[in-house]
Amino acid sequence: MEREPNLVISSASQRVVEDGVPFKVDIYKLEGGDGWSLEVVTEDGTSIVWDDLFEDDQAAFEEAISTIRSEGAVAFANGGSNVIPFRQ
C-alpha cells in the first residue's frame, strides 16, 4: 500500500495586515510535488485559493500581497468581485 504524501508548509506562510485588515497567507505543496499552492484566508474565515500553482513559495507570497493591494484589502476581505460565496 502506497503511503499518502506529506503536506509541506512554506516558511513564507504568515499572517499579514494590509490597511488594518488581517489576512492569513498559506503556501503549501505536496511532498515531492511540482508547484506551490496559495490560499488567503480572511478574518471571517473566507478562503480564497488560486487555481494555478507557483514555481516557488516566494512567488506565491508576492502574488498574495500584490492581489490584496490591487483589490484593496477591505474589498478583498468583504467579498469583492473575486469571492464567490457558497450557498447556505
Side-chain angles (χ1 to χ4, degrees):
M1 184 172 179
E2 192 173 327
R3 77 171 181 86
E4 302 253 343
N6 292 320
L7 190 62
V8 178
I9 307 296
S10 166
S11 61
S13 296
Q14 59 188 283
R15 182 179 181 271
V16 297
V17 177
E18 186 68 34
D19 294 333
V21 179
F23 297 92
K24 186 174 146 198
V25 177
D26 289 325
I27 303 165
Y28 48 86
K29 72 176 186 171
L30 291 178
E31 183 179 45
D34 291 333
W36 291 90
S37 295
L38 171 60
E39 177 180 17
V40 174
V41 182
T42 63
E43 187 173 35
D44 68 357
T46 301
S47 170
I48 298 95
V49 179
W50 274 246
D51 290 332
D52 297 327
L53 297 178
F54 296 85
E55 189 172 318
D56 60 58
D57 56 348
Q58 189 59 42
F61 180 78
E62 290 169 6
E63 176 66 21
I65 297 304
S66 173
T67 300
I68 292 169
R69 288 181 179 159
S70 69
E71 293 285 332
V74 173
F76 195 88
N78 291 332
S81 63
N82 62 340
V83 177
I84 301 170
F86 287 104
R87 286 187 171 167
Q88 298 281 333

